[in-house]
Amino acid sequence: MLDPDRGLSLTIARVVQRLQGSSLHSQLERQARVSLHKPEIKLESLKEDIKDFLKTSGWEKKLQNAVYSELNVFPLPCHPAAPPEHIKEPLAYMRKAQGSWEKRILKSLNSMCTELNIPLAQKRPANEQKELLNKWNEMGTDEPDLSLFRPVYAPKDFLEVLMNLRNPNYENGEQPSFRNHLGLIQVPLKVKDIPELKEDFSELGLNIGQLGIDDSAQVPPEFFENEHVRVGQKVLAEQDSAAAQQYVRQGCPTALRADLWALILNVSNQPEDILYYEQLKSNVIQHNLLVDSLIYKDVKLTASNDDYYFVFEDYLYQVLLCFSRDTSVLEHFSYSSATPPKSYIQGKLGMEEYAVYYPPNGVIPFHGFSMYVAPLCFLYHEPSKLYQIFREMYVRFFFRLHSISSHPSGIVSLCLLFETLLQTHLPQLFYHLREIGAQPLRISFKWMVRAFSGYLATDQLLLLWDRILGYNSLEILAVLAAAVFAFRAVNLMEVTSLAAAEAVLADLSTLKVMPLLQIFLFATVT
Amino acid sequence: MAGKVKWVTDIEKSVLINNFEKRGWIQVAENEDWNFYWMSVQTIRNVFSVETGYRLSDDQIVNHFPNHYELTRKDLMVKNIKRYRKELEKEGSPLAEKDENGKYIYLDFVPVTFMLPADYNLFVEEFRKNPSSTWIMKPCGKAQGKGIFLINKLSQIKKWSRDSKTSSFVSQSSKEAYVISLYINNPLLIGGKKFDLRLYVLVSTYRPLRCYMYKLGFCRFCTVKYTPSTSELDNMFVHLTNVAIQKHGDDYNHIHGGKWTVSNLRLYLESTRGKEVTNKLFDEIHWIIVQSLKAVAPVMNNDKHCFECYGYDIIIDDKLKPWLIEVNASPSLTSSTANDRILKYNLINDTLNIAVPNGEIPDSKWNKSPPKEVLGNYEVLYDEEMAQSDGTDRDLRGRPGQSTGVKGSRARDSGKPVLTTWK
């Protein structure tokens, strides 16, 4: 086991390495240099004075936020001698499964490419470039022929893969019994039980004010809401990421949410960020990627038909097309179990010098991918900021929802957590649904993969995502899924088929997320 | 009162008929004894016309006021509002206060409008002050976006007048009258798209004014990206948000119909612009609706057999100022999507619950004060009687569902509480 000191110094070393050479670093240096002109900086106490200056001018806070962000995103090193793939994913069988899954996806993409005789990437002719630039703000009105394209995979395909995951070191026995797991996921990962969840999510407790509960019309705002808003404004004034993350556990006031999320994700939309986005945009203009068509198709199939998000169709293209070309996203693969697919320049198959990641950001979109972006459009109407927020959300959270890993926030753990919660606390319901061929996970899987986007009303979804950010974990998705089943348990006990169960759970748009979570965690007699 | 309500309608819409049938009301023909007639605007004209009209008895109610056109015809609405403003100015009311440019601070909610042909010269004068402005020509008596076009050059009107084969403006019959309004070319865009707001307002009586606002209004989005560029002036899909027009655009979607709920709008605005300005916007919207009703109240025939459900069309500009575009007496009861059908069905349901209390045979003499429980998705927008008796302002605040909160004062831009104005 790693002793804490060594672990700490490793962490410090890594954070220093990540921040060195970043624009924040050069800004700090510049600020320090500028401060030399100030009268309060004296030569004899130079180091101390500069430190004080950076503190009072708010720059130390920015550094703090950046460090905090790094700590949140990157996992703690397990051991100095651990090879890089262990940071991606410690369990060998999971790595193998992810590898096979990736091969399948890539095969599917390549065969579509061959079938349709479309290259994976191609430079656009000049007139097409000009046309696209003109239509940049209204790509939704374009109607390319997408009928031949199909999504590379849909969530249910992924579920099939997860169902077949097995730990070769673990003897499960032939017969599933009540000692074993009755659900679809058959791998022995550790998941939390309700007492542990209650502790983790203690701020959602019954005696603590919540937005989504204590701001309803019947509750006078003096009880909780006004004070909570006041505290939120203070947090924003202080520009403290860690404080913001703690604060949003009780929900964000709608007017403060955009700024609070940006603070937590450490997104500040500096000029260089805007430039970077513009650079990505020009990449989109110059080259046409096959995944672009997949993105178009996905948006047209999902967000364009959504009551809440259809308005933002054009923003989705502007974000996702740029996202595909953003090579900085490749960084997240160092802590993701996934590996970006490689492709080869035409005619140079197998030659490593001619290998490129495809798409440039290494992420192949699947059916429903655009729904990760859609809710953010309610908060940010400036494309480059919207883009950065989405990218941060992806590399912190969303990537775990479609890759095979043992991480507690990974989709496999979420599925197991969901099934375990249901089996433990609603055993009758679970057994009944299983008997009629309606394994609960078959219904809830799509909710979790999409982080409930497109299933909940937007204001409720945003309250849910507040907590994802606040707790830096996706486990709440599994808890909510179980809470939804608990809520509709009476109706579900009456159904006799999978289709009927799906029907009972088809419409979640009227659900109020926070009361459901609170009741399930804190007010259910077990 | 054992009998069932007998109903007639000349509008064959399922959202209406289903509502009548679910109450167990009995359908009869127009020439029979009826209690409730949901009529089209043509029919109400006949009922109350001098030649063909007849007296309604105490147990009969209809869904239009006899001279609703004072509000619902574009030219008359503007005329009445202008008259109302002048009256307030004459009595020295603080509501009629003007700013340094001579614009009304609180009552400037209708875009500059002129009647054509009557005010042609006045229009030309105004046009010349801002020669780069765009104007929208609307026929007074039509709906659903029919006959509307945009102009940005004087020659375009002259062209139109030439096309309609008249040599001069003087001899236009009122049927062919047009209004020309300053086109709001800086509308608030969401997702780059232009939209307008459709809000339903039920008026049960004009004197005293009692009106209700339906909580579930919606935004109608144009399917094509908004551009103020002059080359797109002729593209009605860009500029007009009427669903009747948008439905024929290539991108019209039958699932959501290009419609957003008002609560989505509120969430979006609060998230991107802040709570105060959003509340202010919604307060202003309620304000302009009430002011428009007050403007026509004196000239309305407050026939006690009547109630009316209006469709208000409002556009918000990019400074978050709402503008009243027009009021419809017969808002469309056609449903373009499933959600739409549900909304309109509930709208009629709640309207009937207020207009025909308890679903019993109506008595036009009743005091038109429904209990709160029957309001459904309606909220009291303004109740003149209450306002006068309490001495407090009973207007609806912008926060739906919040029944608490300060009602007494209404601090406006000048910071002055205008308690007295609501009487």
Side-chain angles (χ1 to χ4, degrees):
Chain A
M1 274 277 90
L2 191 64
D3 73 280
D5 286 336
R6 252 179 112 198
L8 184 59
S9 53
L10 263 179
T11 307
I12 294 176
R14 192 201 68 215
V15 174
V16 167
Q17 187 200 24
R18 295 248 336 142
L19 291 179
Q20 226 158 24
S22 71
S23 73
L24 179 62
H25 186 188
S26 39
Q27 278 174 327
L28 281 167
E29 274 187 2
R30 201 181 319 136
Q31 285 297 318
R33 229 174 286 132
V34 159
S35 76
L36 292 176
H37 298 293
K38 294 198 182 293
E40 57 263 24
I41 310 288
K42 300 194 177 28
L43 190 57
E44 8 353 315
S45 51
L46 188 64
K47 193 168 174 185
E48 287 308 314
D49 288 346
I50 292 186
K51 269 200 203 167
D52 284 337
F53 167 74
L54 289 176
K55 197 173 202 156
T56 50
S57 57
W59 280 97
E60 187 191 64
K61 189 47 59 97
K62 291 199 175 66
L63 178 60
Q64 235 172 23
N65 289 344
V67 171
Y68 192 67
S69 178
E70 292 295 325
L71 290 177
N72 262 338
V73 174
F74 282 80
L76 298 167
C78 41
H79 194 277
E85 61 254 26
H86 277 238
I87 302 191
K88 286 162 75 68
E89 171 52 53
L91 299 180
Y93 74 90
M94 289 273 183
R95 289 202 299 267
K96 194 149 167 268
Q98 172 67 17
S100 314
W101 171 237
E102 280 165 9
K103 276 206 194 71
R104 256 179 75 181
I105 299 176
L106 195 56
K107 196 157 163 230
S108 170
L109 185 66
N110 279 331
S111 67
M112 194 188 333
C113 187
T114 320
E115 245 176 68
L116 302 176
N117 203 14
I118 298 175
L120 288 175
Q122 197 178 31
K123 195 169 165 87
R124 280 186 227 271
N127 60 331
E128 201 184 302
Q129 286 189 29
K130 193 152 169 257
E131 203 189 311
L132 184 58
L133 190 58
N134 284 340
K135 290 206 99 160
W136 180 256
N137 288 326
E138 48 189 42
M139 285 184 270
T141 52
D142 235 352
E143 278 290 347
D145 181 12
L146 299 169
S147 51
L148 297 172
F149 290 97
R150 4 164 246 289
V152 179
Y153 66 96
K156 61 174 163 40
D157 305 315
F158 190 45
L159 178 59
E160 291 298 321
V161 172
L162 298 186
M163 277 163 54
N164 292 320
L165 270 180
R166 295 289 183 278
N167 180 349
N169 289 338
Y170 191 76
E171 183 51 60
N172 221 355
E174 281 309 310
Q175 279 297 327
S177 70
F178 274 103
R179 288 193 168 279
N180 294 346
H181 193 57
L182 289 175
L184 294 177
I185 303 295
Q186 296 291 331
V187 286
L189 293 175
K190 179 151 185 5
V191 291
K192 298 182 179 141
D193 57 12
I194 286 204
E196 284 171 305
L197 290 168
K198 272 163 101 149
E199 231 186 272
D200 279 357
F201 294 116
S202 57
E203 288 87 351
L204 302 184
L206 293 167
N207 55 344
I208 299 183
Q210 299 295 327
L211 288 186
I213 299 176
D214 301 294
D215 54 336
S216 75
Q218 292 83 29
V219 180
E222 303 86 61
F223 279 10
F224 168 70
E225 200 181 345
N226 289 345
E227 180 60 20
H228 190 63
V229 170
R230 214 183 52 80
V231 173
Q233 285 161 339
K234 199 143 179 267
V235 168
L236 280 174
E238 291 291 310
Q239 282 292 294
D240 187 327
S241 284
Q245 193 164 325
Q246 178 65 34
Y247 172 79
V248 305
R249 292 180 180 187
Q250 289 170 272
C252 291
T254 45
L256 305 180
R257 180 176 279 125
D259 289 333
L260 283 166
W261 284 20
L263 182 55
I264 295 173
L265 297 170
N266 210 25
V267 167
S268 51
N269 210 25
Q270 299 290 314
E272 59 260 21
D273 302 315
I274 301 179
L275 257 174
Y276 188 76
Y277 175 74
E278 291 296 319
Q279 179 65 41
L280 291 175
K281 180 177 161 183
S282 69
N283 289 349
V284 177
I285 304 285
Q286 282 172 5
H287 287 91
N288 184 7
L289 299 180
L290 176 65
V291 288
D292 292 350
S293 304
L294 297 177
I295 290 169
Y296 266 112
K297 181 120 193 174
D298 186 49
V299 173
K300 289 285 181 202
L301 285 177
T302 56
S304 299
N305 291 329
D306 188 293
D307 286 340
Y308 295 94
Y309 306 124
F310 72 89
V311 176
F312 303 112
E313 184 182 343
D314 297 323
Y315 283 15
L316 298 180
Y317 300 121
Q318 291 174 36
V319 167
L320 289 166
L321 293 180
C322 289
F323 182 66
S324 293
R325 287 147 175 88
D326 192 346
T327 50
S328 72
V329 175
L330 293 172
E331 281 172 10
H332 92 281
F333 286 108
S334 68
Y335 53 87
S336 164
S337 62
T339 308
K342 263 198 240 178
S343 184
Y344 298 90
I345 308 282
Q346 203 160 25
K348 312 272 189 218
L349 186 65
M351 295 165 73
E352 281 309 312
E353 316 84 85
Y354 295 96
V356 289
Y357 290 121
Y358 186 83
N361 71 341
V363 180
I364 298 183
F366 56 89
H367 177 66
F369 193 84
S370 56
M371 294 303 277
Y372 289 141
V373 189
L376 303 173
C377 298
F378 266 83
L379 302 174
Y380 306 98
H381 56 269
E382 216 258 309
S384 82
K385 190 151 191 199
L386 174 63
Y387 176 75
Q388 286 170 70
I389 295 279
F390 166 65
R391 182 182 59 189
E392 268 311 302
M393 291 288 283
Y394 182 81
V395 301
R396 274 198 204 203
F397 303 113
F398 297 145
F399 76 94
R400 299 199 190 278
L401 295 172
H402 53 91
S403 50
I404 304 176
S405 83
S406 59
H407 194 275
S409 275
I411 188 71
V412 183
S413 301
L414 295 184
C415 289
L416 191 57
L417 175 59
F418 163 74
E419 288 189 317
T420 309
L421 283 174
L422 215 56
Q423 193 179 353
T424 313
H425 299 283
L426 292 150
Q428 222 182 352
L429 175 64
F430 191 94
Y431 193 73
H432 167 72
L433 289 172
R434 193 169 166 275
E435 287 296 291
I436 63 171
Q439 277 276 6
L441 186 59
R442 285 201 188 277
I443 302 175
S444 65
F445 187 69
K446 54 188 184 291
W447 303 341
M448 293 191 285
V449 166
R450 278 215 207 152
F452 281 89
S453 173
Y455 297 105
L456 295 173
T458 305
D459 65 320
Q460 295 300 311
L461 184 80
L462 293 173
L463 287 168
L464 179 66
W465 286 17
D466 283 341
R467 275 69 180 192
I468 292 180
L469 282 160
Y471 291 100
N472 200 31
S473 149
L474 293 164
E475 284 159 314
I476 200 135
L477 297 177
V479 180
L480 179 60
V484 171
F485 272 74
F487 185 61
R488 300 243 168 114
V490 172
N491 292 355
L492 286 169
M493 285 304 288
E494 317 246 313
V495 302
T496 52
S497 70
L498 172 60
E502 299 255 24
V504 169
L505 295 165
D507 182 6
L508 307 184
S509 61
T510 51
L511 292 184
K512 299 272 175 263
V513 159
M514 297 318 299
L516 281 184
L517 284 169
Q518 217 178 44
I519 291 175
F520 187 78
L521 284 174
F522 295 98
T524 304
V525 177
T526 50
Chain B
M1 287 279 172
K4 288 270 177 207
V5 174
K6 303 197 199 72
W7 63 271
V8 193
T9 182
D10 56 1
I11 301 180
E12 293 296 316
K13 288 287 175 213
S14 59
V15 294
L16 273 177
I17 299 182
N18 292 344
N19 265 301
F20 299 144
E21 287 178 352
K22 91 159 185 184
R23 285 166 168 75
W25 292 0
I26 303 171
Q27 184 174 21
V28 297
E30 188 183 343
N31 51 4
E32 294 176 70
D33 263 338
W34 52 262
N35 304 115
F36 186 89
Y37 196 149
W38 187 283
M39 37 176 84
S40 63
V41 286
Q42 287 79 8
T43 313
I44 193 85
R45 216 178 300 149
N46 296 339
V47 168
F48 285 103
S49 86
V50 177
E51 304 97 29
T52 61
Y54 49 92
R55 278 195 64 150
L56 294 174
S57 50
D58 284 348
D59 62 351
Q60 291 186 310
I61 56 175
V62 296
N63 65 319
H64 289 293
F65 285 94
N67 58 343
H68 63 82
Y69 41 80
E70 295 284 351
L71 181 63
T72 59
R73 253 183 74 115
K74 303 169 184 56
D75 54 348
L76 294 179
M77 177 190 86
V78 173
K79 210 192 309 187
N80 280 312
I81 290 175
K82 285 185 179 175
R83 187 210 77 241
Y84 172 68
R85 295 200 290 222
K86 283 248 153 32
E87 278 169 8
L88 286 176
E89 209 176 336
K90 232 190 283 181
E91 7 170 306
S93 160
L95 277 193
E97 198 178 317
K98 286 185 178 167
D99 66 12
E100 57 280 0
N101 297 323
K103 280 212 167 301
Y104 288 101
I105 302 181
Y106 310 117
L107 297 177
D108 177 34
F109 55 85
V110 177
V112 177
T113 301
F114 298 99
M115 263 51 93
L116 293 183
D119 298 336
Y120 181 72
N121 292 324
L122 288 170
F123 160 68
V124 170
E125 204 183 308
E126 188 66 35
F127 182 88
R128 293 211 166 109
K129 282 192 214 160
N130 300 305
S132 58
S133 54
T134 307
W135 295 75
I136 181 164
M137 283 280 280
K138 298 191 249 197
C140 288
K142 297 213 183 104
Q144 300 198 326
K146 295 197 193 95
I148 296 186
F149 58 97
L150 298 175
I151 62 142
N152 59 352
K153 289 199 265 285
L154 272 183
S155 52
Q156 289 164 326
I157 314 194
K158 297 204 179 121
K159 172 174 179 293
W160 161 76
S161 79
R162 250 202 322 273
D163 282 348
S164 58
K165 295 188 179 59
T166 52
S167 54
S168 79
F169 278 111
V170 182
S171 55
Q172 294 276 1
S173 70
S174 72
K175 274 233 166 68
E176 287 308 311
Y178 276 72
V179 288
I180 187 160
S181 307
L182 187 59
Y183 183 65
I184 296 165
N185 61 357
N186 62 331
L188 176 67
L189 301 179
I190 299 186
K193 299 185 167 69
K194 178 177 165 175
F195 69 99
D196 78 345
L197 266 182
R198 162 52 63 92
L199 299 169
Y200 295 104
V201 178
L202 170 62
V203 177
S204 51
T205 145
Y206 273 98
R207 291 185 302 275
L209 178 59
R210 195 167 293 135
C211 51
Y212 307 87
M213 171 108 121
Y214 202 63
K215 285 191 259 192
L216 307 178
F218 49 88
C219 306
R220 297 177 295 207
F221 281 88
C222 286
T223 53
V224 177
K225 249 323 189 287
Y226 176 75
T227 162
S229 93
T230 44
S231 60
E232 291 290 343
L233 275 187
D234 287 333
N235 183 348
M236 283 297 120
F237 296 117
V238 173
H239 293 284
L240 297 184
T241 53
N242 296 75
V243 175
I245 297 213
Q246 293 295 325
K247 239 169 137 162
H248 299 290
D250 282 333
D251 286 330
Y252 185 77
N253 182 300
H254 290 270
I255 296 180
H256 50 70
K259 289 182 180 167
W260 236 24
T261 59
V262 164
S263 50
N264 276 345
L265 176 66
R266 184 176 263 277
L267 176 63
Y268 176 81
L269 288 177
E270 279 185 15
S271 303
T272 53
R273 301 272 197 143
K275 202 153 181 162
E276 293 75 32
V277 299
T278 306
N279 284 341
K280 179 161 170 281
L281 168 67
F282 281 92
D283 280 351
E284 275 183 32
I285 290 176
H286 298 147
W287 170 260
I288 67 183
I289 293 176
V290 173
Q291 292 306 307
S292 68
L293 292 172
K294 281 187 164 222
V296 301
V299 303
M300 269 299 189
N301 179 346
N302 194 30
D303 191 312
K304 56 188 187 330
H305 304 95
C306 305
F307 72 92
E308 202 154 18
C309 179
Y310 298 106
Y312 269 74
D313 290 342
I314 291 180
I315 285 194
I316 305 172
D317 72 17
D318 60 11
K319 299 187 182 39
L320 289 197
K321 181 180 160 68
W323 295 93
L324 176 58
I325 301 300
E326 68 170 349
V327 184
N328 293 285
S330 265
S332 161
L333 296 176
T334 319
S335 309
S336 52
T337 67
N339 282 344
D340 214 31
R341 180 179 310 280
I342 296 172
L343 180 131
K344 289 185 178 156
Y345 178 85
N346 288 330
L347 173 69
I348 303 293
N349 186 41
D350 292 336
T351 306
L352 292 179
N353 283 343
I354 295 178
V356 186
N358 300 326
E360 288 169 356
I361 301 215
D363 176 4
S364 59
K365 291 213 192 65
W366 82 295
N367 69 350
K368 308 218 180 192
S369 250
K372 221 193 259 180
E373 303 82 62
V374 311
L375 290 183
N377 286 314
Y378 275 108
E379 283 176 318
V380 177
L381 178 59
Y382 182 64
D383 187 330
E384 192 168 8
E385 227 167 32
M386 292 282 198
Q388 279 164 348
S389 63
D390 292 352
T392 54
D393 170 2
R394 292 279 300 190
D395 77 300
L396 177 72
R397 300 309 262 173
R399 280 132 279 179
Q402 220 160 314
S403 52
T404 55
V406 175
K407 298 241 179 194
S409 67
R410 194 197 170 81
R412 307 226 76 211
D413 308 341
S414 58
K416 183 173 56 174
V418 268
L419 182 64
T420 53
T421 65
W422 285 92
K423 299 215 204 297

